[in-house]
Amino acid sequence: MKRKLCLAVLTVCMITVFAGCGKAQDSMAEGTQTETEAPQGSPAAATPDEKGNYLVNGSFEEPDFTGWNVTNIDNVTEELDVYTRETDCFEGVQSLHFYSGSNDVNFTAEQTVSGLEAGSYKMTAHIQGDAAGDENASVYFYAIVGGETIKADASLDGYVNWYTAELPGLDVQDGEITVGVSVKTAPGGWGTIDDITLVKE
């Protein structure tokens, strides 16, 4: 009788121990799964195009400003659009076009890229046009990286006389960079911007 009672108690203890182990294993498995999950909100890795350019629509070949945040400051620029005329392009058949007859030209266009590998990058861009005799025209390309704004001055030197601006050695450590262009000229100013690239050096 005592032997049967001991066996029954032993059986109950073993069942309890194994059940507890199962729960512990389940908890460990759940904990491991949580630890291996990717942090919420992490940006996807940036992917370059076939030419190594990390910018979206860098040559403005889309029918709109896809990828770009274009700001017509104080709405003074009379024409600010995608221009379809191959002769006014540095590459492809479209470009970013600007013109004002009675008002100043004053706008920016910029794009932020996230998910970049740490390293050195280079921005290259092209602009052509005319500042309508404005000796105080302000035309430059820029990059914002690590909280610092780096500029490359440019100029409007006449029809299809392309000015090429370069910003090499852009040190990206936090995975993000903003590149852009700023144009401000007197009434009568016009031009096109094209083929902006951001490549890893």
Side-chain angles (χ1 to χ4, degrees), residues 188-199:
W190 57 269
T192 55
I193 299 164
D194 202 16
D195 196 29
I196 305 177
T197 62
L198 179 70
V199 299

Side-chain angles (χ1 to χ4, degrees), residues 138-141 151-155 163-166:
S138 173
V139 182
Y140 61 88
F141 292 90
K151 298 179 181 180
D153 288 330
S155 60
Y163 185 99
T164 299
E166 294 183 342

Side-chain angles (χ1 to χ4, degrees), residues 48-66:
D49 64 15
E50 65 278 3
K51 295 181 180 179
N53 188 8
Y54 283 90
L55 297 179
V56 174
N57 191 28
S59 195
F60 303 98
E61 295 301 303
E62 297 293 333
D64 52 25
F65 287 130
T66 296

Side-chain angles (χ1 to χ4, degrees), residues 118-121 145-146 150 168-174 176-177:
S120 181
Y121 292 79
V145 56
I150 305 163
L170 300 171
D171 185 22
V172 176
Q173 294 301 322
D174 62 0
E176 184 173 288
I177 187 171

Side-chain angles (χ1 to χ4, degrees), residues 23-97:
K23 288 180 181 178
Q25 288 174 349
D26 289 344
S27 296
M28 288 174 63
E30 289 173 3
T32 302
Q33 184 178 0
T34 302
E35 289 171 5
T36 56
E37 288 176 353
Q40 294 294 319
S42 296
T47 305
D49 64 15
E50 65 278 3
K51 295 181 180 179
N53 188 8
Y54 283 90
L55 297 179
V56 174
N57 191 28
S59 195
F60 303 98
E61 295 301 303
E62 297 293 333
D64 52 25
F65 287 130
T66 296
W68 294 94
N69 180 20
V70 179
T71 303
N72 187 359
I73 298 170
D74 296 327
N75 291 316
V76 294
T77 311
E78 295 169 16
E79 296 180 16
L80 187 57
D81 51 32
V82 174
Y83 203 41
T84 304
R85 193 160 78 174
E86 191 171 352
T87 54
D88 288 47
C89 299
F90 187 86
E91 189 272 337
V93 296
Q94 293 186 167
S95 56
L96 186 164
H97 164 255

Side-chain angles (χ1 to χ4, degrees), residues 15 69 102 184 189:
I15 291 171
N69 180 20
S102 302
K184 185 175 182 180

